[in-house]
C-alpha cells in the first residue's frame, strides 16, 4: 500500500458503528477533539443489533443495564419497554444515541475496511476500504464486535437448495414470512433457542436439527417493571458502579454459598427460586461454585435436566433434549422463552443430528443419515467465527509488514485484549483476551473505550507518538488468561469460546474469564504504573512503561 496515494490524513479511524464504535467516536471526536473517521459495513448504526434481526432476537442482559452510562441525561431520559431489550428497541436506542450526540456526521456507511498497514516511517496507519477510500491515521481502533462474521457450515449441496435460506446474523430487514412454510432450523445456540419458539408459531411445520442438546433457563421476559425502573433511575450511578466491579458486568450481589455446603432440600429450594426468577440470576445468584467446581456444577446441571424432563411431554423427545456431554455454563448460558415447551407442539419435530448427522442439503431439503426432510426455508442458526474471524478478514499489517492473521494463526495473542505486540497504535475494543463476551457488553465496552481514550490523551500530553504492547507483557497476559480458564467449566465443552465451532481453528480459550472487576483493576494498575507493559515512544526516543 503506497502512502503517496492516500487522500486524507486523520487523527483516528474507527472500524464499526455498534455500541463500541459509537462511543469511541464520541470520545475521540468530542472529548479529545480529534479528526476521526468511522467506517461501518451496514447502512446504519447498531452493529450486532443492525444485523441480527431474526425473530425473537433480544438481549439476555436486563434492559436497564444494557445501555451506556457515560451520560447521566441519556440514562435518565431513555425508557425501556421490555424487561429484556428486544432487537428493534436496542436498535432504536443506538439510533437515538447517534442522533443525540450527532455521531453520524463522520460515519461512512456501506463501507468495509479491507486493509490497514502501519507505516513506520511516519508512524501512521494506512487504511483502505472496499469503496476505494485511502486514508492515513495516527490511531486505528477496531470496534468490530466479537460475533460479526457469520458461519454457515460447509455442508455438501449447501448452494443447491432451491428454497429460501438465511443466517440469523444477516437477517433480511423486511423480515421473513414463515406462514404455511416447512422450515428447518440448524443450530440450538442462543440464536436458535430464541428464534425456534417464534418460528414454530408461524410455520406450517418446523424441523429443528440439533447437534448438541442445551441447558437453557427461562428468561421470564415481560414488560419492564416501571416502578423498579424508577427506583433504578434514582440510584443509577451506584448500580452501574456495582456492575463495573462485578464478575459479569451485572449489578447482582455476589453469592457466597457453595452448592456443596447446603442440604439437598435447601439446594433444591435455591435452584427452584432461581429458576422462577429466571435469566442469568440462575447462574449468578444461586451458588458461587457452579462455574468452577465440577461437583457443584453437577447439581445445577442435574436440576436443569429434571426441568427439561418435566416440561417436555414426550419422554423420547425429552431425552434427546437433555444435555449429557457437557456441564451447564461450559458453553454460553442460554436464556429462553418457551423453548422446551415448543417441543410439545404438533408442528415441531426434533431431529437428532448428533446420532444421525446431516449428509447433504438437497434442492428440496436436508438429508440426514435417517432420512430426507422436505423444506421450503432453511435457517442457519449456526453461529460465528467468533472474536478473531472479523480481524482475519482485514489485511492488518504491523511493523515490518507482519500480518496480524499470521501472528494469530495459533490463537489470538494480545496484551489485555487491547493491543498486540508489533501493531503500534492499534487498539481493540473488547478484543480477545478481555472479558468481552463473558460480560454484559456495554460495561466492558465503556471501560475499554475510556481506557483507550485515556492512553491516547496520555501520549498527547507527553508529546509522544506511539504506544505498543511489549511481547513479554503479552505472553504473560495470554498465559494468565489460559491459567484462569483452566480453573473453569469452559474447558469442558466444544464451544465457540474455544474456536471449536470452526473447522481447523486452533483450540484456544479467547475471552478473559477472570471477571470485569478484576480485569478493570488490572487495567487501572497498568495505567497507574505509567502504562506498564507498553512501550511509549516519540518520534525517536523510546520510553519503556
Ligand atoms: P452458537 O452459539 O455458536 O450456536 C450455533 C449452533 O449451531 C450450535 O447449536 C451448533 O451446534 C450448531 N452448529 C454449528 N455448526 C453446525 C454444523 N455444521 N452442523 C450442525 N449444527 C451446527 O451461535 P449463536 O446461537 O448464533 O450464538 C452465538 C453467540 O452470540 C451466543 O453464544 C451469544 O454470545 C451471542 N448471542 C447472544 C444473544 C443474546 O444476548 N440473547 C442472542 C444470540 C446470540 P454445536 O453446539 O454442536 O456446535
Amino acid at each position: 500500500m503506497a502512502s503517496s496515494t492516500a487522500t486524507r490524513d486523520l487523527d483516528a479511524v474507527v472500524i464499526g458503528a455498534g455500541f463500541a464504535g459509537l462511543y469511541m467516536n464520541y470520545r475521540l471526536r468530542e472529548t479529545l477533539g480529534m479528526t476521526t473517521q468511522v467506517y461501518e459495513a451496514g447502512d446504519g448504526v447498531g452493529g450486532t443489533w443492525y444485523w441480527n434481526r431474526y425473530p425473537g432476537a433480544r438481549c439476555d442482559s436486563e434492559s436497564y443495564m444494557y445501555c451506556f452510562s457515560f451520560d447521566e441525561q441519556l440514562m435518565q431520559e431513555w425508557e425501556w419497554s421490555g424487561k429484556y431489550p428486544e432487537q428493534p428497541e436496542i436498535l432504536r436506542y443506538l439510533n437515538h444515541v447517534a442522533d443525540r450526540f450527532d455521531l453520524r456526521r463522520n460515519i461512512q456507511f456501506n463501507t468495509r475496511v479491507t486493509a490497514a498497514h502501519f507505516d513506520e516511517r511516519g508512524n501512521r496507519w494506512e487504511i483502505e476500504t472496499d469503496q476505494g477510500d485511502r486514508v492515513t491515521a495516527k490511531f486505528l481502533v477496531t470496534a468490530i464486535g466479537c460475533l460479526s462474521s457469520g458461519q454457515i457450515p460447509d455442508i455438501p449441496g449447501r448452494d443447491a437448495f432451491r428454497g429460501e435460506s438465511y443466517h440469523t446474523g444477516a437477517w433480511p430487514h423486511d423480515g421473513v414470512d414463515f406462514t404455511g412454510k416447512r422450515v428447518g432450523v440448524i443450530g440450538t445456540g442462543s440464536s436458535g433457542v430464541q428464534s425456534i419458539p417464534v418460528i414454530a408459531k408461524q410455520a406450517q411445520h418446523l424441523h429443528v436439527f440439533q447437534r448438541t442438546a442445551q441447558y437453557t433457563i427461562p428468561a421470564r421476559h415481560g414488560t419492564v417493571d416501571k416502578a423498579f425502573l424508577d427506583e433504578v433511575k434514582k440510584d443509577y450511578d451506584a448500580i452501574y458502579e456495582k456492575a463495573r466491579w462485578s464478575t459479569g458486568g451485572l449489578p447482582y450481589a455476589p453469592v457466597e454459598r457453595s452448592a456443596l455446603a447446603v442440604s439437598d432440600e435447601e439446594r433444591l429450594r435455591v435452584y427452584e427460586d432461581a429458576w422462577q426468577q429466571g435469566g442469568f440470576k440462575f447462574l449468578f445468584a444461586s451458588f458461587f461454585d457452579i462455574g468452577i467446581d465440577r461437583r457443584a456444577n453437577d447439581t445445577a446441571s442435574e436440576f436443569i435436566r429434571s426441568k427439561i424432563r418435566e416440561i417436555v411431554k414426550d419422554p423420547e423427545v425429552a431425552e434427546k433434549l437433555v444435555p449429557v456431554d457437557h456441564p451447564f455454563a461450559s458453553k454460553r448460558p442460554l436464556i429462553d422463552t418457551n423453548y422446551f415447551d415448543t417441543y410439545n407442539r404438533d408442528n415441531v419435530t426434533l431431529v437428532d443430528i448428533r446420532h444421525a448427522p446431516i449428509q447433504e442439503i438437497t434442492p428440496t431439503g436436508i438429508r440426514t443419515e435417517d432420512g430426507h426432510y422436505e423444506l421450503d426455508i432453511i435457517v442457519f442458526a449456526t453461529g460465528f467465527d467468533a472474536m478473531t474471524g472479523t480481524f482475519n478478514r482485514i489485511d492488518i499489517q504491523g511493523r515490518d509488514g507482519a500480518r496480524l492473521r499470521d501472528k494469530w494463526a495459533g490463537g489470538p495473542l494480545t496484551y489485555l485484549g487491547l493491543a498486540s505486540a508489533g501493531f503500534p497504535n492499534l487498539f481493540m475494543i473488547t478484543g480477545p483476551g478481555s472479558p468481552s463476551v463473558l460480560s454484559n457488553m456495554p460495561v466492558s465496552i465503556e471501560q475499554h473505550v475510556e481506557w483507550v481514550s485515556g492512553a491516547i490523551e496520555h501520549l498527547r500530553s507527553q508529546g509522544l507518538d506511539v504506544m505498543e504492547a511489549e511481547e513479554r507483557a503479552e505472553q504473560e497476559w495470554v498465559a494468565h488468561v489460559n491459567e484462569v480458564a483452566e480453573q473453569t467449566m469452559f474447558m469442558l465443552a466444544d464451544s465457540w469460546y474455544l474456536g471449536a465451532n470452526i473447522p481447523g481453528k486452533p483450540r484456544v480459550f479467547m475471552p478473559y474469564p477472570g471477571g470485569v472487576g478484576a480485569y478493570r483493576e488490572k487495567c487501572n494498575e497498568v495505567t497507574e504504573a505509567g502504562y506498564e507493559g507498553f512501550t511509549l515512544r516519540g518520534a525517536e526516543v523510546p520510553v519503556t512503561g
Side-chain angles (χ1 to χ4, degrees):
M1 198 190 293
S3 62
S4 57
T5 55
T7 54
R8 262 196 315 150
D9 296 322
L10 299 149
D11 292 327
V13 159
V14 177
I15 314 176
F19 264 98
L22 287 175
Y23 186 35
M24 195 72 243
N25 185 22
Y26 174 79
R27 293 292 290 212
L28 291 169
R29 209 187 70 189
E30 300 301 315
T31 315
L32 299 179
M34 297 180 103
T35 56
T36 305
Q37 178 67 54
V38 182
Y39 293 111
E40 163 57 51
D43 71 3
V45 301
T48 253
W49 302 104
Y50 170 92
W51 298 102
N52 287 267
R53 300 176 189 232
Y54 60 84
R58 77 169 80 90
C59 183
D60 290 341
S61 297
E62 289 186 51
S63 49
Y64 73 98
M65 285 309 298
Y66 199 71
C67 52
F68 289 117
S69 73
F70 69 86
D71 187 277
E72 175 65 24
Q73 261 189 332
L74 172 65
M75 285 173 102
Q76 291 297 329
E77 77 197 7
W78 185 260
E79 297 284 338
W80 293 104
S81 67
K83 178 179 177 191
Y84 296 93
E86 303 193 350
Q87 176 272 331
E89 193 166 18
I90 305 173
L91 196 55
R92 274 201 301 282
Y93 171 75
L94 290 172
N95 274 286
H96 169 74
V97 171
D99 291 337
R100 197 182 191 290
F101 299 102
D102 187 22
L103 295 175
R104 278 193 193 78
R105 83 180 131 88
N106 59 329
I107 303 177
Q108 184 173 315
F109 294 104
N110 298 306
T111 305
R112 280 182 191 278
V113 170
T114 51
H117 297 176
F118 188 71
D119 174 19
E120 280 173 79
R121 286 161 308 174
N123 287 330
R124 296 187 72 79
W125 283 95
E126 298 172 350
I127 293 144
E128 274 184 17
T129 76
D130 64 352
Q131 299 302 308
D133 305 279
R134 295 172 76 90
V135 298
T136 78
K138 190 161 175 179
F139 299 102
L140 175 63
V141 184
T142 59
I144 54 183
C146 300
L147 296 150
S148 44
S149 288
Q151 163 75 2
I152 296 187
D154 192 12
I155 300 169
R158 189 181 72 180
D159 302 325
F161 184 59
R162 286 203 299 263
E164 300 162 48
S165 62
Y166 306 98
H167 185 272
T168 48
W171 203 256
H173 288 198
D174 35 11
V176 176
D177 186 2
F178 294 101
T179 316
K181 298 285 169 69
R182 298 163 303 176
V183 183
V185 174
I186 305 177
T188 53
S190 294
S191 307
V193 160
Q194 286 191 329
S195 58
I196 284 163
V198 186
I199 296 172
K201 283 191 192 152
Q202 230 187 53
Q204 182 206 92
H205 199 95
L206 172 64
H207 283 91
V208 177
F209 295 84
Q210 173 193 274
R211 188 166 68 181
T212 305
Q214 293 273 18
Y215 302 90
T216 146
I217 310 295
R220 312 286 176 208
H221 182 45
T223 51
V224 80
D225 179 343
K226 186 77 177 63
F228 170 73
L229 210 56
D230 289 346
E231 281 307 304
V232 164
K233 285 193 176 181
K234 284 186 202 153
D235 208 17
Y236 226 157
D237 279 345
I239 291 172
Y240 218 93
E241 185 62 8
K242 217 187 255 178
R244 291 187 187 106
W245 293 98
S246 68
T247 302
L250 293 165
Y252 306 146
V255 277
E256 276 162 22
R257 84 196 136 197
S258 160
L260 303 174
V262 294
S263 67
D264 292 353
E265 294 74 31
E266 174 63 1
R267 193 183 310 111
L268 267 184
R269 192 196 60 70
V270 170
Y271 281 140
E272 186 59 41
D273 184 46
W275 181 266
Q276 293 311 326
Q277 287 190 58
F280 283 141
K281 284 193 182 143
F282 186 87
L283 179 61
F284 290 125
S286 53
F287 299 105
F288 81 88
D289 44 1
I290 292 177
I292 50 171
D293 184 303
R294 186 65 198 259
R295 286 168 313 145
N297 184 286
D298 282 346
T299 65
S301 301
E302 199 45 46
F303 178 84
I304 301 171
R305 291 185 195 117
S306 73
K307 285 293 180 190
I308 300 171
R309 293 186 178 109
E310 208 175 289
I311 299 168
V312 180
K313 297 201 175 107
D314 180 330
E316 255 181 61
V317 177
E319 279 323 300
K320 286 184 191 163
L321 287 165
V322 165
V324 288
D325 60 357
H326 64 284
F328 169 58
S330 55
K331 285 175 173 252
R332 157 69 150 76
L334 306 184
I335 311 294
D336 74 276
T337 297
N338 301 328
Y339 178 66
F340 292 120
D341 279 317
T342 297
Y343 294 94
N344 293 329
R345 296 175 66 102
D346 293 337
N347 71 332
V348 176
T349 306
L350 180 67
V351 184
D352 175 3
I353 55 170
R354 168 61 51 90
H355 296 106
I358 294 177
Q359 287 179 325
E360 61 169 341
I361 293 181
T362 70
T364 58
I366 294 178
R367 188 184 310 287
T368 73
E369 282 180 8
D370 270 355
H372 186 263
Y373 300 87
E374 294 281 326
L375 302 169
D376 302 306
I377 301 178
I378 299 176
V379 174
F380 291 95
T382 44
F384 300 86
D385 185 353
M387 306 209 75
T388 53
T390 308
F391 280 103
N392 288 338
R393 288 180 187 189
I394 306 171
D395 173 23
I396 300 176
Q397 295 184 25
R399 276 192 295 107
D400 305 321
R403 288 195 157 79
L404 188 70
R405 70 168 79 105
D406 293 341
K407 179 180 171 183
W408 286 10
L413 300 170
T414 72
Y415 181 37
L416 301 170
L418 278 161
S420 194
F423 297 82
N425 288 359
L426 167 63
F427 295 108
M428 304 165 188
I429 306 302
T430 65
S434 74
S436 62
V437 291
L438 299 178
S439 71
N440 178 35
M441 287 299 266
V443 172
S444 287
I445 285 169
E446 284 196 335
Q447 187 254 338
H448 262 195
V449 167
E450 286 160 15
W451 191 93
V452 170
S453 28
I456 292 176
E457 174 72 75
H458 177 78
L459 282 180
R460 203 161 62 171
S461 69
Q462 302 297 306
L464 299 170
D465 277 340
V466 180
M467 184 170 206
E468 181 182 341
E470 289 169 8
E471 238 164 77
R472 181 192 45 81
E474 181 170 287
Q475 282 162 6
E476 282 171 13
W477 182 252
V478 171
H480 174 62
V481 172
N482 286 321
E483 193 187 318
V484 180
E486 287 294 344
Q487 294 159 25
T488 68
M489 294 295 125
F490 292 127
M491 305 309 273
L492 302 178
D494 287 333
S495 71
W496 60 259
Y497 294 144
L498 280 156
N501 63 328
I502 303 294
K505 194 165 173 173
R507 194 180 170 93
V508 173
F509 193 77
M510 293 183 285
Y512 175 60
V516 300
Y519 176 79
R520 179 180 290 269
E521 201 173 323
K522 168 72 183 170
C523 289
N524 289 354
E525 282 168 13
V526 165
T527 309
E528 280 153 24
Y531 293 91
E532 188 178 29
F534 288 92
T535 297
L536 318 183
R537 34 180 202 272
E540 277 155 25
V541 198
V543 182
T544 301

